[in-house]
Amino acid sequence: MIPAEPALTRASAAMPCVAPPLMSLRAVRAVFWKEWQSEWRTRASVKAIALFAIAAPIALSFSVAGQRLSPEVLAGALWTTLLFAALIGLSRAWVKEEENNTLALLRLGCASEAVLWGKVLWNGVLLLATQLAAVPIFIVLLDARVSNVPLFVLALLLGDAGLAIASGLLGAMSSGARARGALFCAIAVPILLPLLVSASWATAVAFGARHDAQSALQAMAAYDVALLAASWMLFDFVWN
Amino acid sequence: MQNETGSAEMETLTVAEGAHRSTSSSPASFASSLQCSAVGKRFGTRVVMRDVSFEVKSGEVVAVVGRNGAGKSTLLRLVAGLTRPTVGSIRWLEEGTQHSDNLGWRCGLCAPDAPLYRELTVGENLEFWAQMRGAVSREELQAFLERFQLRTRWNDLAGELSSGLRARLQLAVATWHRPSVLLLDEPGANLDEAGRTLLREIVDEQRVRGVTLLATNDAREAELADRRVEL
C-alpha cells in the first residue's frame, strides 16, 4: 500500500519507490474499468461482435427460408455464430494494448494476474452484453423454440465463461505477433472445440432435442475449470 | 560525478565492440546501484549491442548516447526487463538485499512512442496506474499533476492533447510512483522551455532516490547527466 503520507509531492522525492504492483480486487477492477471506459468511447469490440452476431442469423434466416431446422442444427448454428463473433471481438482487448504501445507499461506497472482477470472479466461482460441483443434475434429469425430456458441460459453462461477465460490467455499469447487476429483464431478454434461441442449439445437439448444435457453441462464446467487453472498457471510465462 | 557546486562533470564511457570499460568502484555511501554486465542483444541475426558493461550508483544520472540505431532505446527496455539480453545480466543491487534481476516494478519509463491510453482522460490514465499499486486519492493525483500543468486538463482525452502535453503526461506517469530507476528515452523531444525546466527538476529530484538513464542525441539533454555511456 502507498504510505499515508502524500507520496506525490516534490517534498517526498527522497522517499523510496512505492510498493510493487499488487494483485488485488482494486487492481482487477481498475483493469476492467479501463477496458470499459475505452470501449465506451470507441465501441470497437461491441461493434465487431454485434455486427457478426446479428448479421449471421439474418443471413442464415434467408438461406433456410421458412424451413424448420432441427434442434441440433439450430444449436450448432448458434454456437458457430457466437464463437466467430467472439473471436472477432475478444482479441481487441489485447490488440489495443499493442497498438497503443501500452503493453510495456502494463508489464512494468501491473501485477500480471490483475491484467489477466481484469481482461477475462471484461471479455465475459462484453460477450453477455452482445448476446443480450444477438440471441433473441437468432431465436426470432430462425424460429427456434427454447423448451428449457434455465438449461439454455446455463449453457450460454458456461460457454461464455470458457470463451472469456480462453481469450484472456490466448489474446496475450498472440498480442505480440504480426498477424495477431489470425493467430488468435488459429490458436483459439482448436482449443475451444471441445467446449463448442458440449455447448451445442446442451443447447440442442434446450431447443428440444432428446439427449442427456447433464453430461454436456458437466463437460463444459470441467473444461471451464481446466481453462481457468491453465490460464492462472501459464499466464506469467506468457506475460513475461 | 557530481561536484560540490552541483554542476556536472562529464565522463564519457565508450563501449566498443568486444571491449568495455567499467566505472570506478562504488563508494560505500551508495546504498544501491544498477549494474549491467557484458550485456549483448541480438534480434535474429542482427546484433544490436555487444558487451555493454557499466554501473550506475544511486544518485547518478547517466546519459546513453550513440548514433541512430545504436541500441539506446533497446538498452532502456533491457534495463526495464521488457526484453531479455541475449547475453550478460542487468542487476539492481540494494544494501541489505540480494542481487535482484527483477527491476521492472522499480522502473519509471518515459519513451517517445507515447505509451498512453489515448481513449482515456488525463486523470483516468494516472488513476489507472495509481490503482495498480494501492490507493491514492484523486486530490493527491490532481495535486501531483499541478506541476506538470495538467491539472486543468484532468478531463481531457489523452489522445486529444498536444504532443508537448502528452510528453508531460508521460513524465507524470513515469515518475508518480517515485521509481528507483528512471528511464528517459528522448524525454525532451516535444517539450517547450518550461517543460525542459520541469524535466531538469525531475532529473535532479531523482538523484536523491535512485538512478537515471537518459537516452538522448540532444546535447542539451545530455548535459543533465553526470557522465555518458556511448553505444
Side-chain angles (χ1 to χ4, degrees):
Chain A
M1 293 289 288
I2 292 173
E5 172 78 20
L8 308 168
T9 58
R10 255 189 254 199
S12 67
M15 291 171 71
C17 184
V18 296
L22 307 166
M23 167 50 192
S24 63
L25 266 181
R26 181 196 299 276
V28 173
R29 199 177 56 199
V31 174
F32 174 82
W33 187 242
K34 170 184 77 69
E35 296 296 334
W36 175 280
Q37 295 279 28
S38 176
E39 185 60 32
W40 181 252
R41 288 177 186 138
T42 61
R43 295 188 176 87
S45 299
V46 168
K47 281 178 194 161
I49 296 178
L51 190 70
F52 191 89
I54 293 169
I58 291 173
L60 271 174
S61 71
F62 280 113
S63 62
V64 298
Q67 293 176 52
R68 180 132 180 83
L69 299 176
S70 69
E72 288 85 355
V73 174
L74 278 172
L78 174 64
W79 277 103
T80 306
T81 303
L82 295 181
L83 174 71
F84 282 100
L87 291 181
I88 290 169
L90 296 188
S91 62
R92 285 290 311 160
W94 292 101
V95 171
K96 250 183 339 196
E97 302 284 0
E98 190 65 37
E99 287 172 353
N100 277 340
N101 289 316
T102 43
L103 266 184
L105 278 187
L106 272 183
R107 287 199 177 98
L108 294 182
C110 301
S112 58
E113 295 96 335
V115 177
L116 172 66
W117 301 126
K119 299 245 182 213
V120 165
L121 194 63
W122 164 247
N123 281 345
V125 168
L126 189 63
L127 277 174
L128 283 175
T130 48
Q131 285 174 10
L132 277 176
V135 171
I137 290 172
F138 182 93
I139 289 171
V140 169
L141 289 179
L142 293 173
D143 195 21
R145 308 252 164 88
V146 184
S147 56
N148 188 339
V149 175
L151 174 63
F152 183 65
V153 172
L154 190 58
L156 278 178
L157 289 176
L158 286 173
D160 285 350
L163 286 173
I165 295 165
S167 64
L169 181 67
L170 303 179
M173 282 172 75
S174 58
S175 61
R178 249 174 252 155
R180 296 171 201 118
L183 182 63
F184 178 73
C185 295
I187 308 171
V189 169
I191 287 177
L192 289 171
L193 207 56
L195 185 73
L196 191 69
V197 171
S198 301
S200 299
W201 194 261
T203 308
V205 177
F207 282 151
R210 294 176 187 280
H211 300 302
D212 175 21
Q214 194 182 343
S215 58
L217 290 175
Q218 283 172 343
M220 288 173 79
Y223 202 74
D224 286 352
V225 172
L227 280 174
L228 198 74
S231 297
W232 181 57
M233 287 189 289
L234 296 176
F235 191 72
D236 251 2
F237 293 102
V238 174
W239 189 238
N240 296 314
Chain B
M1 287 290 171
Q2 178 95 0
N3 65 23
E4 283 178 1
T5 59
S7 64
E9 178 187 320
M10 304 298 292
E11 175 195 341
T12 301
L13 180 74
T14 303
V15 185
E17 191 175 292
H20 67 269
R21 190 155 60 90
S22 66
T23 56
S24 56
S25 60
S26 75
S29 58
F30 288 110
S32 50
S33 66
L34 174 71
Q35 276 190 352
C36 292
S37 307
V39 171
K41 182 66 182 175
R42 200 173 56 200
F43 291 114
T45 55
R46 191 166 59 90
V47 178
V48 177
M49 67 178 71
R50 186 178 293 185
D51 208 10
V52 174
S53 294
F54 61 89
E55 182 178 2
V56 188
K57 297 179 186 72
S58 190
E60 278 190 304
V61 179
V62 170
V64 180
V65 296
R67 59 179 166 74
N68 290 342
K72 300 186 292 294
S73 300
T74 303
L75 179 62
L76 262 52
R77 291 178 66 83
L78 284 165
V79 170
L82 296 173
T83 179
R84 292 175 201 281
T86 312
V87 291
S89 65
I90 297 171
R91 288 198 167 94
W92 176 249
L93 291 97
E94 201 157 306
E95 202 172 56
T97 62
Q98 291 188 327
H99 295 193
S100 167
D101 291 317
N102 183 15
L103 255 171
W105 70 270
R106 297 176 192 276
C107 293
L109 175 66
C110 181
D113 42 6
L116 295 168
Y117 291 106
R118 289 166 168 262
E119 315 83 28
L120 301 189
T121 64
V122 169
E124 286 164 354
N125 263 286
L126 198 56
E127 275 182 324
F128 172 68
W129 299 110
Q131 284 170 358
M132 286 297 138
R133 296 186 192 236
V136 178
S137 73
R138 179 168 290 191
E139 290 71 31
E140 279 178 295
L141 292 173
Q142 285 178 337
F144 178 70
L145 281 181
E146 185 78 60
R147 69 182 304 205
F148 293 88
Q149 293 176 6
L150 286 169
R151 186 174 188 155
T152 54
R153 303 288 190 138
W154 182 264
N155 291 316
D156 290 3
L157 290 179
E160 292 176 358
L161 294 176
S162 69
S163 53
L165 289 177
R166 269 208 302 275
R168 283 168 184 258
L169 179 56
Q170 279 184 275
L171 268 176
V173 168
T175 55
W176 78 269
H177 61 291
R178 304 186 305 270
S180 305
V181 181
L182 182 58
L183 304 169
L184 302 172
D185 193 355
E186 308 279 2
N190 292 311
L191 292 175
D192 56 13
E193 268 313 308
R196 284 174 183 267
T197 305
L198 173 67
L199 175 65
R200 202 171 304 121
E201 285 174 14
I202 286 170
V203 169
D204 280 342
E205 284 170 15
Q206 182 66 18
R207 290 179 195 279
V208 294
R209 68 172 170 235
V211 306
T212 304
L213 280 185
L214 175 64
T216 185
N217 278 321
D218 183 329
R220 279 169 69 198
E221 256 174 45
E223 281 173 11
L224 296 173
D226 304 319
R227 59 193 171 89
R228 298 179 184 193
V229 168
E230 193 170 325
L231 297 180

